[in-house]
């Protein structure tokens, strides 16, 4: 199925979990935050949270800023 | 810290010894960021929240590894947000990113050229965030009435600009900053616009509780040295404020006695 991650279309397996996506992106263990369709997905639930087709996902981290 | 007879800066119930708050943007690299932070002795450090892009270099050090939340109070900002919704979303992501840490720097910008705050949107976002349990340090203009409104909404610190973000023009309206300070029951922190050490000292001499800056340090020729200079200026300005300056007089007043002259 197709989901949108940080503004880019992405093909993932049905029932793809948040943890699996984070792993594919090489971000496992990194300090990140995720929202799906504008709602926060807590890090503690990444293993249970599964995406649905068309979900809009944002994965963010801290960068330098004032 | 060397400021004599001072009380700590208290923001949302937490005590800080340093009255210098600094940003982490525009540095050459992580090492320069780290060294400037150390030289500044700042305890509250701002960060921005941005997409973790696919294909990003996975070996690149994460900012929060250099600026550890165990060592510093991380202050995520809403820089780049032009709407209430974007600012609120950014704060919620930041809170998740920082394991529930709910101190945020709210800025809702109104215009790309000046980066002046959109005040109506700032007030609205502050209300939403305070109701959602955030401790909001809010970037605003130097309008005393708005500063008071933001305090009444429940912001834990009000942060008027000295001059436009990144401009280095110094305090353009010291009388307004003074009025804001005199009216306030929460810390007033000058945020944005200082260019060099004397600008910070002036802010502190006006009675501000602290100064938040980024470009003044990061864009200096020697950022680490400027970080040290800013630390000293803020300490000196704070001491001068606590000491109470002499009254200004139009004409001279000799420092040496008139009596006992032999000529």
């Amino acid at each position: 199925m197709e989901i949108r991650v940080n503004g880019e279309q992405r093909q993932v397996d049905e029932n793809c979990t948040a943890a699996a996506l984070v792993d594919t992106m090489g971000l496992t263990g990194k300090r990140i935050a995720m929202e799906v369709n504008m709602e926060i997905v807590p890090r503690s639930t990444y293993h249970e949270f599964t995406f649905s087709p068309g979900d809009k996902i944002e994965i963010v981290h801290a960068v330098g800023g004032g | 810290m060397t400021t004599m007879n001072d009380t700590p800066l208290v923001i949302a119930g937490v005590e800080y010894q340093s009255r210098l708050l600094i940003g982490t943007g525009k540095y050459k690299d992580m090492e320069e960021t780290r060294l400037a932070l150390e030289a500044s002795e700042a305890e509250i450090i701002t960060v921005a929240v941005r997409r973790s892009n696919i294909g990003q270099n996975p070996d690149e050090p994460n900012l929060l590894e250099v600026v550890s939340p165990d060592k510093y109070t991380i202050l995520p900002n809403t820089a780049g947000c032009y709407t209430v919704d974007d600012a609120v979303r950014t704060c919620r992501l930041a809170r998740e990113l920082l394991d529930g840490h709910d101190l945020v720097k709210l800025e809702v910008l109104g215009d790309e050229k000046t980066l002046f705050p959109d005040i109506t949107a700032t007030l609205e976002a502050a209300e939403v965030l305070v109701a959602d349990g955030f401790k909001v340090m809010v970037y605003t203009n130097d309008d005393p009435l708005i500063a008071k409104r933001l305090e009444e909404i429940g912001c834990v610190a009000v942060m008027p600009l000295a001059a436009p973000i990144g401009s280095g023009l110094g305090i353009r309206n010291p009388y307004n900053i003074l009025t804001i300070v005199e009216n306030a029951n929460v810390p007033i922190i000058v945020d944005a616009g200082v260019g060099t050490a004397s600008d910070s000292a002036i802010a502190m001499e006006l009675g501000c509780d602290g100064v938040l800056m980024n470009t003044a340090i990061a864009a200096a020729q020697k950022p680490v040295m400027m970080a040290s200079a800013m630390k000293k200026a803020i300490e000196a300005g704070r001491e001068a404020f606590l000491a109470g300056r002499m009254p200004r007089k139009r004409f001279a007043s000799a420092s040496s006695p008139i009596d006992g002259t032999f000529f």
Side-chain angles (χ1 to χ4, degrees):
Chain A
M1 65 179 178
E2 206 156 76
I3 58 176
R4 197 165 180 84
V5 182
N6 287 356
E8 288 178 15
Q9 291 298 121
R10 204 176 170 96
Q11 276 298 131
V12 294
D13 297 336
E14 299 289 323
N15 301 319
C16 171
T17 64
L21 176 68
V22 168
D23 189 49
T24 312
M25 292 174 71
L27 296 171
T28 302
K30 302 273 181 191
R31 196 182 268 274
I32 55 169
M34 185 189 296
E35 70 172 20
V36 176
N37 304 328
M38 316 264 275
E39 295 290 332
I40 299 287
V41 177
R43 243 176 296 167
S44 57
T45 66
Y46 284 0
H47 282 281
E48 297 94 68
F49 189 95
T50 53
F51 299 118
S52 303
D55 274 352
K56 290 190 176 63
I57 297 129
E58 292 291 341
I59 298 177
V60 300
H61 66 308
V63 301
Chain B
M1 258 326 126
T2 55
T3 307
M4 296 163 68
N5 301 322
D6 199 3
T7 50
L9 169 63
V10 180
I11 297 173
V14 180
E15 293 187 355
Y16 300 95
Q17 301 307 312
S18 170
R19 293 174 178 275
L20 172 56
L21 295 75
I22 70 173
T24 50
K26 301 184 185 173
Y27 286 96
K28 188 178 66 187
D29 52 31
M30 287 285 182
E31 182 60 7
E32 190 181 70
T33 308
R34 188 183 69 75
L35 292 171
L37 256 59
E38 270 181 18
S40 75
E41 293 183 20
E43 297 167 279
I44 301 177
I45 311 297
T46 65
V47 303
V49 178
R50 293 290 181 269
R51 282 174 168 167
S52 309
N53 281 322
I54 302 155
Q56 213 164 29
N57 181 2
D59 300 327
E60 190 182 301
N62 185 307
L63 179 64
L64 294 180
E65 289 165 16
V66 175
V67 189
S68 165
D70 298 330
K71 187 174 171 191
Y72 296 102
T73 294
I74 307 298
L75 182 62
N77 68 27
T78 63
C81 292
Y82 285 81
T83 67
V84 174
D85 285 349
D86 286 348
V88 171
R89 260 178 92 190
T90 301
C91 289
R92 288 180 177 150
L93 279 164
R95 181 165 61 184
E96 162 66 13
L97 187 65
L98 294 166
D99 306 317
H101 170 77
D102 50 15
L103 188 71
V104 291
K105 171 181 160 177
L106 171 65
E107 53 186 295
V108 188
L109 303 172
D111 168 56
E112 282 179 25
K113 185 172 177 182
T114 60
L115 296 180
F116 280 148
D118 177 332
I119 292 301
T120 51
T122 300
L123 290 163
E124 194 183 330
E127 283 181 357
V128 172
L129 290 169
V130 170
D132 197 10
F134 283 96
K135 299 182 178 80
V136 180
M137 299 175 70
V138 59
Y139 164 71
T140 182
N141 59 16
D142 56 15
D143 179 340
L145 301 179
I146 296 301
K148 198 66 191 170
R149 283 279 306 281
L150 289 163
E151 177 187 320
E152 287 162 1
I153 286 169
C155 295
V156 298
V158 175
M159 307 201 291
L161 53 81
I165 294 172
S167 70
L169 290 173
I171 299 183
R172 296 290 82 207
N173 204 341
Y175 293 102
N176 274 25
I177 299 291
L178 185 60
T179 306
I180 290 171
V181 168
E182 286 172 350
N183 289 344
N185 295 309
V186 294
I188 300 299
I189 293 166
V190 160
D191 176 10
V194 300
T196 188
S198 54
D199 296 332
S200 297
I202 289 168
M204 298 310 292
E205 287 169 11
L206 287 168
C208 291
D209 297 280
V211 181
L212 196 167
M213 68 185 70
N214 191 147
T215 311
I217 295 175
Q221 298 297 309
K222 296 178 180 172
V224 180
M225 190 180 282
M226 185 58 90
S228 168
M230 289 297 189
K231 173 181 80 91
K232 291 167 186 159
I234 282 175
E235 288 170 3
R238 179 66 180 171
E239 283 190 11
F241 170 71
L242 293 172
R245 61 154 297 145
M246 62 164 283
R248 287 177 174 85
K249 286 178 290 202
R250 188 165 165 211
F251 294 111
S253 159
S255 302
S256 306
I258 307 296
D259 290 346
T261 47
F262 54 89
F263 37 77

